[in-house]
């Protein structure tokens, strides 16, 4: 089964020391089947702190920190936060090889996906490549434009 926007998959994130599976959210897919995704962490304070450093703001109204709630997203088991400064792009084949990969039956709500997109676009760390994907440009166009 192919991944689609709004899908939530669980897998171990090698960047996290606890090695427990975390929910990952599919935010966009290119025609070349490259997947833009982010993940949620239950260590909300750490996510807030990192987002504050990137945004250079020390308030609770962070544009790049999106909160997740099991009451609004049925596939989640705990509240968490998403650091939109760390969006990733990878192939579907590679993603499905992540340790303990499991696709959830439930999709993320459209509002959550939209909020994440806005957070990614608000980030100073978001690459031109991801911005172009959101603008609907193909990766081949992006590559040839950069030559």
């Amino acid at each position: 089964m192919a991944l689609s926007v709004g899908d939530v998959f669980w897998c171990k994130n090698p960047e996290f020391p606890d090695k427990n599976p975390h929910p990952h959210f599919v935010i966009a897919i290119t025609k070349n089947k490259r997947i833009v995704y982010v993940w949620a962490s239950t260590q909300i304070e750490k996510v807030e702190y990192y987002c504050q450093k990137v945004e250079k703001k020390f308030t609770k109204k962070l544009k790049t920190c999106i909160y997740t709630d099991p009451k609004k997203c049925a596939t989640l088991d705990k509240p968490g936060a998403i650091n939109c400064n760390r969006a990733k792009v990878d192939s579907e084949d590679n993603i499905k090889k992540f340790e303990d990969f499991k696709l959830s039956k439930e999709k993320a709500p459209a509002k959550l996906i939209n909020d994440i997109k806005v957070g990614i676009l608000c980030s100073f760390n978001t690459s031109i490549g991801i911005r172009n994907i959101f603008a609907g440009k193909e990766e081949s166009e992006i590559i040839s434009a950069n030559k």
Side-chain angles (χ1 to χ4, degrees), residues 33-68:
K33 304 295 182 203
R34 302 282 289 165
I35 311 289
V36 178
Y37 68 95
V38 295
W39 58 90
S41 171
T42 56
Q43 296 183 359
I44 296 169
E45 298 80 21
K46 287 184 179 182
V47 174
E48 289 172 335
Y49 177 74
Y50 185 86
C51 292
Q52 287 171 338
K53 281 181 20 181
V54 171
E55 289 188 38
K56 298 183 180 19
K57 282 185 183 177
F58 289 90
T59 68
K60 286 288 183 185
K61 292 186 179 182
L62 297 165
K63 294 177 182 174
T64 62
C65 181
I66 305 299
Y67 299 95
T68 60

PDB file of all heavy atoms in Angstrom, residues 33-68:
ATOM      1  N   LYS A  33       7.547  10.443  -5.972  1.00  0.00           N
ATOM      2  CA  LYS A  33       7.339   9.582  -4.797  1.00  0.00           C
ATOM      3  C   LYS A  33       8.307   9.872  -3.645  1.00  0.00           C
ATOM      4  O   LYS A  33       8.655   8.973  -2.888  1.00  0.00           O
ATOM      5  CB  LYS A  33       7.407   8.094  -5.168  1.00  0.00           C
ATOM      6  CG  LYS A  33       6.437   7.684  -6.252  1.00  0.00           C
ATOM      7  CD  LYS A  33       5.028   7.830  -5.794  1.00  0.00           C
ATOM      8  CE  LYS A  33       4.074   7.365  -6.880  1.00  0.00           C
ATOM      9  NZ  LYS A  33       2.779   7.931  -6.760  1.00  0.00           N
ATOM     10  N   ARG A  34       8.738  11.121  -3.521  1.00  0.00           N
ATOM     11  CA  ARG A  34       9.525  11.527  -2.358  1.00  0.00           C
ATOM     12  C   ARG A  34       8.531  12.001  -1.300  1.00  0.00           C
ATOM     13  O   ARG A  34       7.568  12.708  -1.601  1.00  0.00           O
ATOM     14  CB  ARG A  34      10.513  12.633  -2.727  1.00  0.00           C
ATOM     15  CG  ARG A  34      11.475  12.258  -3.840  1.00  0.00           C
ATOM     16  CD  ARG A  34      12.594  11.382  -3.395  1.00  0.00           C
ATOM     17  NE  ARG A  34      13.498  12.160  -2.583  1.00  0.00           N
ATOM     18  CZ  ARG A  34      14.427  11.659  -1.809  1.00  0.00           C
ATOM     19  NH1 ARG A  34      14.596  10.358  -1.724  1.00  0.00           N
ATOM     20  NH2 ARG A  34      15.208  12.418  -1.086  1.00  0.00           N
ATOM     21  N   ILE A  35       8.754  11.589  -0.061  1.00  0.00           N
ATOM     22  CA  ILE A  35       7.824  11.837   1.036  1.00  0.00           C
ATOM     23  C   ILE A  35       8.407  12.901   1.966  1.00  0.00           C
ATOM     24  O   ILE A  35       9.540  12.774   2.426  1.00  0.00           O
ATOM     25  CB  ILE A  35       7.591  10.546   1.858  1.00  0.00           C
ATOM     26  CG1 ILE A  35       7.273   9.356   0.958  1.00  0.00           C
ATOM     27  CG2 ILE A  35       6.572  10.761   2.961  1.00  0.00           C
ATOM     28  CD1 ILE A  35       5.946   9.371   0.299  1.00  0.00           C
ATOM     29  N   VAL A  36       7.621  13.945   2.247  1.00  0.00           N
ATOM     30  CA  VAL A  36       7.982  14.931   3.273  1.00  0.00           C
ATOM     31  C   VAL A  36       7.257  14.497   4.537  1.00  0.00           C
ATOM     32  O   VAL A  36       6.041  14.289   4.525  1.00  0.00           O
ATOM     33  CB  VAL A  36       7.549  16.360   2.881  1.00  0.00           C
ATOM     34  CG1 VAL A  36       7.895  17.348   3.993  1.00  0.00           C
ATOM     35  CG2 VAL A  36       8.177  16.780   1.562  1.00  0.00           C
ATOM     36  N   TYR A  37       8.013  14.338   5.629  1.00  0.00           N
ATOM     37  CA  TYR A  37       7.402  13.877   6.870  1.00  0.00           C
ATOM     38  C   TYR A  37       8.042  14.541   8.087  1.00  0.00           C
ATOM     39  O   TYR A  37       9.141  15.100   8.002  1.00  0.00           O
ATOM     40  CB  TYR A  37       7.496  12.351   6.990  1.00  0.00           C
ATOM     41  CG  TYR A  37       8.898  11.818   7.171  1.00  0.00           C
ATOM     42  CD1 TYR A  37       9.405  11.554   8.443  1.00  0.00           C
ATOM     43  CD2 TYR A  37       9.729  11.582   6.085  1.00  0.00           C
ATOM     44  CE1 TYR A  37      10.700  11.076   8.614  1.00  0.00           C
ATOM     45  CE2 TYR A  37      11.003  11.101   6.242  1.00  0.00           C
ATOM     46  CZ  TYR A  37      11.490  10.855   7.508  1.00  0.00           C
ATOM     47  OH  TYR A  37      12.766  10.388   7.677  1.00  0.00           O
ATOM     48  N   VAL A  38       7.311  14.507   9.181  1.00  0.00           N
ATOM     49  CA  VAL A  38       7.783  14.975  10.492  1.00  0.00           C
ATOM     50  C   VAL A  38       7.364  13.936  11.514  1.00  0.00           C
ATOM     51  O   VAL A  38       6.593  13.028  11.215  1.00  0.00           O
ATOM     52  CB  VAL A  38       7.187  16.357  10.867  1.00  0.00           C
ATOM     53  CG1 VAL A  38       7.667  17.443   9.932  1.00  0.00           C
ATOM     54  CG2 VAL A  38       5.667  16.312  10.896  1.00  0.00           C
ATOM     55  N   TRP A  39       7.843  14.073  12.725  1.00  0.00           N
ATOM     56  CA  TRP A  39       7.469  13.134  13.777  1.00  0.00           C
ATOM     57  C   TRP A  39       7.117  13.885  15.053  1.00  0.00           C
ATOM     58  O   TRP A  39       7.504  15.033  15.236  1.00  0.00           O
ATOM     59  CB  TRP A  39       8.587  12.119  14.053  1.00  0.00           C
ATOM     60  CG  TRP A  39       9.876  12.763  14.451  1.00  0.00           C
ATOM     61  CD1 TRP A  39      10.302  13.088  15.718  1.00  0.00           C
ATOM     62  CD2 TRP A  39      10.919  13.194  13.579  1.00  0.00           C
ATOM     63  NE1 TRP A  39      11.529  13.679  15.665  1.00  0.00           N
ATOM     64  CE2 TRP A  39      11.932  13.749  14.376  1.00  0.00           C
ATOM     65  CE3 TRP A  39      11.094  13.157  12.209  1.00  0.00           C
ATOM     66  CZ2 TRP A  39      13.107  14.277  13.833  1.00  0.00           C
ATOM     67  CZ3 TRP A  39      12.264  13.682  11.672  1.00  0.00           C
ATOM     68  CH2 TRP A  39      13.247  14.218  12.490  1.00  0.00           C
ATOM     69  N   ALA A  40       6.372  13.215  15.913  1.00  0.00           N
ATOM     70  CA  ALA A  40       5.972  13.789  17.194  1.00  0.00           C
ATOM     71  C   ALA A  40       6.784  13.161  18.317  1.00  0.00           C
ATOM     72  O   ALA A  40       7.169  11.998  18.243  1.00  0.00           O
ATOM     73  CB  ALA A  40       4.483  13.554  17.440  1.00  0.00           C
ATOM     74  N   SER A  41       7.021  13.956  19.326  1.00  0.00           N
ATOM     75  CA  SER A  41       7.717  13.501  20.527  1.00  0.00           C
ATOM     76  C   SER A  41       6.835  13.787  21.737  1.00  0.00           C
ATOM     77  O   SER A  41       6.126  14.794  21.774  1.00  0.00           O
ATOM     78  CB  SER A  41       9.051  14.247  20.684  1.00  0.00           C
ATOM     79  OG  SER A  41       9.631  13.954  21.940  1.00  0.00           O
ATOM     80  N   THR A  42       6.892  12.923  22.722  1.00  0.00           N
ATOM     81  CA  THR A  42       6.159  13.174  23.968  1.00  0.00           C
ATOM     82  C   THR A  42       6.961  14.073  24.907  1.00  0.00           C
ATOM     83  O   THR A  42       6.441  14.506  25.925  1.00  0.00           O
ATOM     84  CB  THR A  42       5.815  11.854  24.679  1.00  0.00           C
ATOM     85  OG1 THR A  42       7.016  11.128  24.910  1.00  0.00           O
ATOM     86  CG2 THR A  42       4.837  11.035  23.857  1.00  0.00           C
ATOM     87  N   GLN A  43       8.199  14.359  24.547  1.00  0.00           N
ATOM     88  CA  GLN A  43       9.030  15.262  25.360  1.00  0.00           C
ATOM     89  C   GLN A  43       8.775  16.699  24.900  1.00  0.00           C
ATOM     90  O   GLN A  43       9.624  17.342  24.268  1.00  0.00           O
ATOM     91  CB  GLN A  43      10.493  14.862  25.263  1.00  0.00           C
ATOM     92  CG  GLN A  43      10.736  13.496  25.852  1.00  0.00           C
ATOM     93  CD  GLN A  43      12.195  13.099  25.843  1.00  0.00           C
ATOM     94  OE1 GLN A  43      13.057  13.831  25.387  1.00  0.00           O
ATOM     95  NE2 GLN A  43      12.475  11.923  26.378  1.00  0.00           N
ATOM     96  N   ILE A  44       7.600  17.176  25.235  1.00  0.00           N
ATOM     97  CA  ILE A  44       7.090  18.451  24.743  1.00  0.00           C
ATOM     98  C   ILE A  44       8.011  19.610  25.111  1.00  0.00           C
ATOM     99  O   ILE A  44       8.291  20.477  24.277  1.00  0.00           O
ATOM    100  CB  ILE A  44       5.653  18.681  25.264  1.00  0.00           C
ATOM    101  CG1 ILE A  44       4.733  17.601  24.684  1.00  0.00           C
ATOM    102  CG2 ILE A  44       5.155  20.077  24.919  1.00  0.00           C
ATOM    103  CD1 ILE A  44       3.354  17.531  25.302  1.00  0.00           C
ATOM    104  N   GLU A  45       8.515  19.639  26.328  1.00  0.00           N
ATOM    105  CA  GLU A  45       9.365  20.746  26.768  1.00  0.00           C
ATOM    106  C   GLU A  45      10.649  20.835  25.932  1.00  0.00           C
ATOM    107  O   GLU A  45      11.112  21.928  25.601  1.00  0.00           O
ATOM    108  CB  GLU A  45       9.729  20.619  28.254  1.00  0.00           C
ATOM    109  CG  GLU A  45       8.542  20.667  29.196  1.00  0.00           C
ATOM    110  CD  GLU A  45       7.797  19.328  29.294  1.00  0.00           C
ATOM    111  OE1 GLU A  45       8.385  18.274  28.977  1.00  0.00           O
ATOM    112  OE2 GLU A  45       6.610  19.368  29.665  1.00  0.00           O
ATOM    113  N   LYS A  46      11.207  19.696  25.566  1.00  0.00           N
ATOM    114  CA  LYS A  46      12.420  19.698  24.743  1.00  0.00           C
ATOM    115  C   LYS A  46      12.124  20.222  23.336  1.00  0.00           C
ATOM    116  O   LYS A  46      12.926  20.955  22.762  1.00  0.00           O
ATOM    117  CB  LYS A  46      13.035  18.298  24.667  1.00  0.00           C
ATOM    118  CG  LYS A  46      13.712  17.877  25.951  1.00  0.00           C
ATOM    119  CD  LYS A  46      14.390  16.537  25.799  1.00  0.00           C
ATOM    120  CE  LYS A  46      15.084  16.155  27.094  1.00  0.00           C
ATOM    121  NZ  LYS A  46      15.800  14.882  26.971  1.00  0.00           N
ATOM    122  N   VAL A  47      10.973  19.841  22.794  1.00  0.00           N
ATOM    123  CA  VAL A  47      10.587  20.328  21.472  1.00  0.00           C
ATOM    124  C   VAL A  47      10.372  21.840  21.534  1.00  0.00           C
ATOM    125  O   VAL A  47      10.854  22.587  20.672  1.00  0.00           O
ATOM    126  CB  VAL A  47       9.328  19.610  20.944  1.00  0.00           C
ATOM    127  CG1 VAL A  47       8.851  20.217  19.635  1.00  0.00           C
ATOM    128  CG2 VAL A  47       9.592  18.119  20.780  1.00  0.00           C
ATOM    129  N   GLU A  48       9.674  22.304  22.558  1.00  0.00           N
ATOM    130  CA  GLU A  48       9.449  23.750  22.713  1.00  0.00           C
ATOM    131  C   GLU A  48      10.770  24.504  22.817  1.00  0.00           C
ATOM    132  O   GLU A  48      10.948  25.545  22.166  1.00  0.00           O
ATOM    133  CB  GLU A  48       8.603  24.032  23.962  1.00  0.00           C
ATOM    134  CG  GLU A  48       7.171  23.623  23.838  1.00  0.00           C
ATOM    135  CD  GLU A  48       6.396  23.732  25.133  1.00  0.00           C
ATOM    136  OE1 GLU A  48       6.997  23.668  26.237  1.00  0.00           O
ATOM    137  OE2 GLU A  48       5.172  23.879  25.054  1.00  0.00           O
ATOM    138  N   TYR A  49      11.690  23.974  23.603  1.00  0.00           N
ATOM    139  CA  TYR A  49      12.981  24.636  23.801  1.00  0.00           C
ATOM    140  C   TYR A  49      13.730  24.757  22.471  1.00  0.00           C
ATOM    141  O   TYR A  49      14.258  25.818  22.138  1.00  0.00           O
ATOM    142  CB  TYR A  49      13.826  23.875  24.832  1.00  0.00           C
ATOM    143  CG  TYR A  49      15.195  24.478  25.029  1.00  0.00           C
ATOM    144  CD1 TYR A  49      15.338  25.670  25.737  1.00  0.00           C
ATOM    145  CD2 TYR A  49      16.323  23.882  24.493  1.00  0.00           C
ATOM    146  CE1 TYR A  49      16.587  26.246  25.912  1.00  0.00           C
ATOM    147  CE2 TYR A  49      17.579  24.442  24.658  1.00  0.00           C
ATOM    148  CZ  TYR A  49      17.706  25.624  25.373  1.00  0.00           C
ATOM    149  OH  TYR A  49      18.939  26.194  25.526  1.00  0.00           O
ATOM    150  N   TYR A  50      13.761  23.678  21.698  1.00  0.00           N
ATOM    151  CA  TYR A  50      14.457  23.707  20.415  1.00  0.00           C
ATOM    152  C   TYR A  50      13.793  24.716  19.474  1.00  0.00           C
ATOM    153  O   TYR A  50      14.482  25.501  18.810  1.00  0.00           O
ATOM    154  CB  TYR A  50      14.489  22.317  19.771  1.00  0.00           C
ATOM    155  CG  TYR A  50      15.297  22.302  18.497  1.00  0.00           C
ATOM    156  CD1 TYR A  50      16.675  22.117  18.525  1.00  0.00           C
ATOM    157  CD2 TYR A  50      14.694  22.500  17.263  1.00  0.00           C
ATOM    158  CE1 TYR A  50      17.422  22.115  17.366  1.00  0.00           C
ATOM    159  CE2 TYR A  50      15.434  22.507  16.095  1.00  0.00           C
ATOM    160  CZ  TYR A  50      16.791  22.317  16.142  1.00  0.00           C
ATOM    161  OH  TYR A  50      17.530  22.336  14.988  1.00  0.00           O
ATOM    162  N   CYS A  51      12.469  24.702  19.413  1.00  0.00           N
ATOM    163  CA  CYS A  51      11.751  25.635  18.545  1.00  0.00           C
ATOM    164  C   CYS A  51      11.989  27.079  18.977  1.00  0.00           C
ATOM    165  O   CYS A  51      12.147  27.965  18.131  1.00  0.00           O
ATOM    166  CB  CYS A  51      10.257  25.316  18.529  1.00  0.00           C
ATOM    167  SG  CYS A  51       9.865  23.747  17.715  1.00  0.00           S
ATOM    168  N   GLN A  52      12.048  27.315  20.286  1.00  0.00           N
ATOM    169  CA  GLN A  52      12.345  28.655  20.790  1.00  0.00           C
ATOM    170  C   GLN A  52      13.724  29.113  20.340  1.00  0.00           C
ATOM    171  O   GLN A  52      13.910  30.263  19.944  1.00  0.00           O
ATOM    172  CB  GLN A  52      12.261  28.687  22.317  1.00  0.00           C
ATOM    173  CG  GLN A  52      10.857  28.623  22.843  1.00  0.00           C
ATOM    174  CD  GLN A  52      10.793  28.424  24.349  1.00  0.00           C
ATOM    175  OE1 GLN A  52      11.736  27.938  24.968  1.00  0.00           O
ATOM    176  NE2 GLN A  52       9.672  28.781  24.942  1.00  0.00           N
ATOM    177  N   LYS A  53      14.690  28.214  20.376  1.00  0.00           N
ATOM    178  CA  LYS A  53      16.045  28.561  19.941  1.00  0.00           C
ATOM    179  C   LYS A  53      16.056  28.928  18.456  1.00  0.00           C
ATOM    180  O   LYS A  53      16.692  29.902  18.066  1.00  0.00           O
ATOM    181  CB  LYS A  53      17.011  27.401  20.186  1.00  0.00           C
ATOM    182  CG  LYS A  53      17.459  27.287  21.620  1.00  0.00           C
ATOM    183  CD  LYS A  53      18.437  26.178  21.927  1.00  0.00           C
ATOM    184  CE  LYS A  53      19.226  25.597  20.822  1.00  0.00           C
ATOM    185  NZ  LYS A  53      20.129  24.522  21.194  1.00  0.00           N
ATOM    186  N   VAL A  54      15.385  28.155  17.640  1.00  0.00           N
ATOM    187  CA  VAL A  54      15.367  28.410  16.199  1.00  0.00           C
ATOM    188  C   VAL A  54      14.607  29.699  15.888  1.00  0.00           C
ATOM    189  O   VAL A  54      15.061  30.522  15.094  1.00  0.00           O
ATOM    190  CB  VAL A  54      14.761  27.219  15.428  1.00  0.00           C
ATOM    191  CG1 VAL A  54      14.547  27.568  13.963  1.00  0.00           C
ATOM    192  CG2 VAL A  54      15.659  26.004  15.550  1.00  0.00           C
ATOM    193  N   GLU A  55      13.473  29.890  16.536  1.00  0.00           N
ATOM    194  CA  GLU A  55      12.653  31.078  16.274  1.00  0.00           C
ATOM    195  C   GLU A  55      13.188  32.313  16.977  1.00  0.00           C
ATOM    196  O   GLU A  55      12.743  33.422  16.703  1.00  0.00           O
ATOM    197  CB  GLU A  55      11.207  30.832  16.712  1.00  0.00           C
ATOM    198  CG  GLU A  55      10.461  29.858  15.841  1.00  0.00           C
ATOM    199  CD  GLU A  55       8.987  29.785  16.191  1.00  0.00           C
ATOM    200  OE1 GLU A  55       8.374  30.823  16.508  1.00  0.00           O
ATOM    201  OE2 GLU A  55       8.436  28.670  16.140  1.00  0.00           O
ATOM    202  N   LYS A  56      14.114  32.100  17.899  1.00  0.00           N
ATOM    203  CA  LYS A  56      14.661  33.189  18.714  1.00  0.00           C
ATOM    204  C   LYS A  56      13.551  33.929  19.471  1.00  0.00           C
ATOM    205  O   LYS A  56      13.563  35.135  19.623  1.00  0.00           O
ATOM    206  CB  LYS A  56      15.489  34.145  17.860  1.00  0.00           C
ATOM    207  CG  LYS A  56      16.691  33.466  17.239  1.00  0.00           C
ATOM    208  CD  LYS A  56      17.546  34.400  16.466  1.00  0.00           C
ATOM    209  CE  LYS A  56      18.757  33.806  15.832  1.00  0.00           C
ATOM    210  NZ  LYS A  56      18.904  32.439  15.608  1.00  0.00           N
ATOM    211  N   LYS A  57      12.569  33.147  19.921  1.00  0.00           N
ATOM    212  CA  LYS A  57      11.444  33.664  20.699  1.00  0.00           C
ATOM    213  C   LYS A  57      11.341  32.825  21.963  1.00  0.00           C
ATOM    214  O   LYS A  57      11.494  31.613  21.905  1.00  0.00           O
ATOM    215  CB  LYS A  57      10.123  33.488  19.957  1.00  0.00           C
ATOM    216  CG  LYS A  57       9.834  34.437  18.883  1.00  0.00           C
ATOM    217  CD  LYS A  57       8.427  34.124  18.417  1.00  0.00           C
ATOM    218  CE  LYS A  57       7.983  34.947  17.273  1.00  0.00           C
ATOM    219  NZ  LYS A  57       6.667  34.569  16.821  1.00  0.00           N
ATOM    220  N   PHE A  58      11.052  33.460  23.038  1.00  0.00           N
ATOM    221  CA  PHE A  58      10.872  32.700  24.263  1.00  0.00           C
ATOM    222  C   PHE A  58       9.466  32.954  24.794  1.00  0.00           C
ATOM    223  O   PHE A  58       9.265  33.500  25.858  1.00  0.00           O
ATOM    224  CB  PHE A  58      11.986  33.021  25.269  1.00  0.00           C
ATOM    225  CG  PHE A  58      13.284  32.456  24.812  1.00  0.00           C
ATOM    226  CD1 PHE A  58      14.143  33.197  24.020  1.00  0.00           C
ATOM    227  CD2 PHE A  58      13.623  31.141  25.084  1.00  0.00           C
ATOM    228  CE1 PHE A  58      15.321  32.647  23.546  1.00  0.00           C
ATOM    229  CE2 PHE A  58      14.795  30.581  24.615  1.00  0.00           C
ATOM    230  CZ  PHE A  58      15.648  31.349  23.843  1.00  0.00           C
ATOM    231  N   THR A  59       8.508  32.582  23.962  1.00  0.00           N
ATOM    232  CA  THR A  59       7.098  32.674  24.316  1.00  0.00           C
ATOM    233  C   THR A  59       6.467  31.321  24.063  1.00  0.00           C
ATOM    234  O   THR A  59       7.080  30.423  23.500  1.00  0.00           O
ATOM    235  CB  THR A  59       6.370  33.723  23.442  1.00  0.00           C
ATOM    236  OG1 THR A  59       6.325  33.239  22.108  1.00  0.00           O
ATOM    237  CG2 THR A  59       7.056  35.076  23.482  1.00  0.00           C
ATOM    238  N   LYS A  60       5.246  31.156  24.441  1.00  0.00           N
ATOM    239  CA  LYS A  60       4.527  29.900  24.202  1.00  0.00           C
ATOM    240  C   LYS A  60       3.847  29.888  22.838  1.00  0.00           C
ATOM    241  O   LYS A  60       3.316  28.876  22.430  1.00  0.00           O
ATOM    242  CB  LYS A  60       3.482  29.670  25.303  1.00  0.00           C
ATOM    243  CG  LYS A  60       4.090  29.246  26.609  1.00  0.00           C
ATOM    244  CD  LYS A  60       4.587  27.824  26.507  1.00  0.00           C
ATOM    245  CE  LYS A  60       5.138  27.348  27.835  1.00  0.00           C
ATOM    246  NZ  LYS A  60       5.729  26.032  27.728  1.00  0.00           N
ATOM    247  N   LYS A  61       3.847  31.007  22.115  1.00  0.00           N
ATOM    248  CA  LYS A  61       3.206  31.054  20.797  1.00  0.00           C
ATOM    249  C   LYS A  61       4.259  30.820  19.726  1.00  0.00           C
ATOM    250  O   LYS A  61       4.696  31.730  19.042  1.00  0.00           O
ATOM    251  CB  LYS A  61       2.510  32.391  20.592  1.00  0.00           C
ATOM    252  CG  LYS A  61       1.311  32.560  21.493  1.00  0.00           C
ATOM    253  CD  LYS A  61       0.551  33.807  21.176  1.00  0.00           C
ATOM    254  CE  LYS A  61      -0.642  33.911  22.100  1.00  0.00           C
ATOM    255  NZ  LYS A  61      -1.461  35.069  21.829  1.00  0.00           N
ATOM    256  N   LEU A  62       4.666  29.587  19.608  1.00  0.00           N
ATOM    257  CA  LEU A  62       5.687  29.209  18.645  1.00  0.00           C
ATOM    258  C   LEU A  62       5.042  28.785  17.332  1.00  0.00           C
ATOM    259  O   LEU A  62       4.091  28.009  17.332  1.00  0.00           O
ATOM    260  CB  LEU A  62       6.539  28.071  19.212  1.00  0.00           C
ATOM    261  CG  LEU A  62       7.316  28.428  20.468  1.00  0.00           C
ATOM    262  CD1 LEU A  62       7.816  27.157  21.154  1.00  0.00           C
ATOM    263  CD2 LEU A  62       8.475  29.332  20.116  1.00  0.00           C
ATOM    264  N   LYS A  63       5.570  29.261  16.220  1.00  0.00           N
ATOM    265  CA  LYS A  63       5.019  28.929  14.907  1.00  0.00           C
ATOM    266  C   LYS A  63       5.478  27.558  14.433  1.00  0.00           C
ATOM    267  O   LYS A  63       4.815  26.935  13.617  1.00  0.00           O
ATOM    268  CB  LYS A  63       5.422  29.985  13.891  1.00  0.00           C
ATOM    269  CG  LYS A  63       4.821  31.337  14.164  1.00  0.00           C
ATOM    270  CD  LYS A  63       5.308  32.360  13.165  1.00  0.00           C
ATOM    271  CE  LYS A  63       4.742  33.723  13.493  1.00  0.00           C
ATOM    272  NZ  LYS A  63       5.303  34.751  12.621  1.00  0.00           N
ATOM    273  N   THR A  64       6.636  27.103  14.927  1.00  0.00           N
ATOM    274  CA  THR A  64       7.215  25.857  14.418  1.00  0.00           C
ATOM    275  C   THR A  64       7.017  24.673  15.355  1.00  0.00           C
ATOM    276  O   THR A  64       7.512  23.589  15.091  1.00  0.00           O
ATOM    277  CB  THR A  64       8.715  26.037  14.123  1.00  0.00           C
ATOM    278  OG1 THR A  64       9.392  26.356  15.335  1.00  0.00           O
ATOM    279  CG2 THR A  64       8.955  27.120  13.087  1.00  0.00           C
ATOM    280  N   CYS A  65       6.279  24.873  16.426  1.00  0.00           N
ATOM    281  CA  CYS A  65       5.971  23.794  17.378  1.00  0.00           C
ATOM    282  C   CYS A  65       4.468  23.519  17.302  1.00  0.00           C
ATOM    283  O   CYS A  65       3.653  24.372  17.649  1.00  0.00           O
ATOM    284  CB  CYS A  65       6.374  24.202  18.791  1.00  0.00           C
ATOM    285  SG  CYS A  65       6.064  22.932  20.030  1.00  0.00           S
ATOM    286  N   ILE A  66       4.130  22.331  16.812  1.00  0.00           N
ATOM    287  CA  ILE A  66       2.720  21.960  16.667  1.00  0.00           C
ATOM    288  C   ILE A  66       2.412  20.867  17.682  1.00  0.00           C
ATOM    289  O   ILE A  66       3.120  19.868  17.763  1.00  0.00           O
ATOM    290  CB  ILE A  66       2.428  21.445  15.238  1.00  0.00           C
ATOM    291  CG1 ILE A  66       2.851  22.478  14.177  1.00  0.00           C
ATOM    292  CG2 ILE A  66       0.964  21.052  15.086  1.00  0.00           C
ATOM    293  CD1 ILE A  66       2.140  23.814  14.267  1.00  0.00           C
ATOM    294  N   TYR A  67       1.367  21.072  18.448  1.00  0.00           N
ATOM    295  CA  TYR A  67       0.999  20.128  19.495  1.00  0.00           C
ATOM    296  C   TYR A  67       0.033  19.069  18.967  1.00  0.00           C
ATOM    297  O   TYR A  67      -0.841  19.380  18.155  1.00  0.00           O
ATOM    298  CB  TYR A  67       0.394  20.882  20.684  1.00  0.00           C
ATOM    299  CG  TYR A  67       1.377  21.855  21.274  1.00  0.00           C
ATOM    300  CD1 TYR A  67       1.376  23.184  20.889  1.00  0.00           C
ATOM    301  CD2 TYR A  67       2.353  21.431  22.172  1.00  0.00           C
ATOM    302  CE1 TYR A  67       2.306  24.083  21.396  1.00  0.00           C
ATOM    303  CE2 TYR A  67       3.284  22.311  22.691  1.00  0.00           C
ATOM    304  CZ  TYR A  67       3.251  23.641  22.293  1.00  0.00           C
ATOM    305  OH  TYR A  67       4.189  24.511  22.792  1.00  0.00           O
ATOM    306  N   THR A  68       0.230  17.856  19.415  1.00  0.00           N
ATOM    307  CA  THR A  68      -0.640  16.753  19.017  1.00  0.00           C
ATOM    308  C   THR A  68      -1.446  16.286  20.224  1.00  0.00           C
ATOM    309  O   THR A  68      -0.968  16.323  21.348  1.00  0.00           O
ATOM    310  CB  THR A  68       0.172  15.581  18.444  1.00  0.00           C
ATOM    311  OG1 THR A  68       1.091  15.114  19.429  1.00  0.00           O
ATOM    312  CG2 THR A  68       0.925  16.001  17.195  1.00  0.00           C
TER     313      THR A  68
END
